[in-house]
Amino acid sequence: MTHVLKKQLMIGYPWLDTFPYQVQLLLLGEIKLAEELAESGTDPSLQDDLTCHCRFARSYLLPCRHIILAYHWLGVIEEPNWDNYASQFDESGYEIYWTKGLTDVVEEPNRFSRDIEAKLHTNEALDQVRTRFFELSELAGQLNEDEKNRLFQVWEQEVLHFSTALVGSSLDEWISRARDPILF
């Protein structure tokens, strides 16, 4: 990072200068992500006590993009005590990360509603069908007309059979089908 660029960043975030250089780089990444969240209109999703327990905050013991967003762009929380955060590096530098107790930092799983999961699985299956079709089309370019017609005829029959099982009847008929009803 050039001296000029660093000076420009310090104008908007003078508290950055209180941190060691490597920590400044971490925080700059979080500032950029906070800015992207602000541009997209995302809520910072803070805890009731106006703290954040995201992976970054738990791993580095520093204000994360959510805290920076809530303070710098939204103004919904008071300014974090930057000196307090920076002072943790005063005595032993980066050893703070070695001397703190081991913290289990588990990536929080993405939790989707069941309809979103079903949509993702359906899209994946349809992508696989499309991929197979493109593979067949590529193979068909190497075949004579009779072989090509036979290949696409079988493909169309199997796709029709597959799709008819799902959409060949009304929604009510599909849900209450005789074999293996979906809803009771």
Side-chain angles (χ1 to χ4, degrees), residues 27-102:
L27 289 169
L28 284 171
E30 290 300 293
I31 290 169
K32 178 152 180 48
L33 292 169
E35 185 176 354
E36 291 171 7
L37 291 174
E39 289 172 357
S40 69
T42 304
D43 179 50
S45 305
L46 300 178
Q47 304 295 318
D48 290 338
D49 61 351
L50 300 179
T51 61
C52 187
H53 300 292
C54 71
R55 184 178 184 146
F56 181 89
R58 292 187 326 247
S59 297
Y60 295 107
L61 309 171
L62 294 168
C64 63
R65 67 196 80 163
H66 308 106
I67 296 292
I68 295 169
L69 171 65
Y71 163 66
H72 191 77
W73 275 276
L74 303 178
V76 296
I77 64 170
E78 291 184 26
E79 183 172 12
N81 188 339
W82 302 113
D83 291 332
N84 191 30
Y85 282 110
S87 68
Q88 64 186 345
F89 300 98
D90 288 348
E91 196 170 307
S92 58
Y94 300 110
E95 288 181 19
I96 182 172
Y97 298 122
W98 300 317
T99 58
K100 286 281 184 188
L102 205 56

Side-chain angles (χ1 to χ4, degrees), residues 62 120 183-184:
L62 294 168
L120 291 171
L183 298 176
F184 303 105

Side-chain angles (χ1 to χ4, degrees), residues 112-127:
F112 297 111
S113 63
R114 187 61 187 106
D115 58 330
I116 298 293
E117 278 185 35
K119 183 177 181 178
L120 291 171
H121 292 149
T122 301
N123 283 339
E124 185 176 320
L126 291 173
D127 284 343

Side-chain angles (χ1 to χ4, degrees), residues 14-32:
W15 47 266
L16 268 176
D17 203 26
T18 62
F19 291 93
Y21 178 72
Q22 294 299 329
V23 176
Q24 289 177 15
L25 295 178
L26 285 172
L27 289 169
L28 284 171
E30 290 300 293
I31 290 169
K32 178 152 180 48

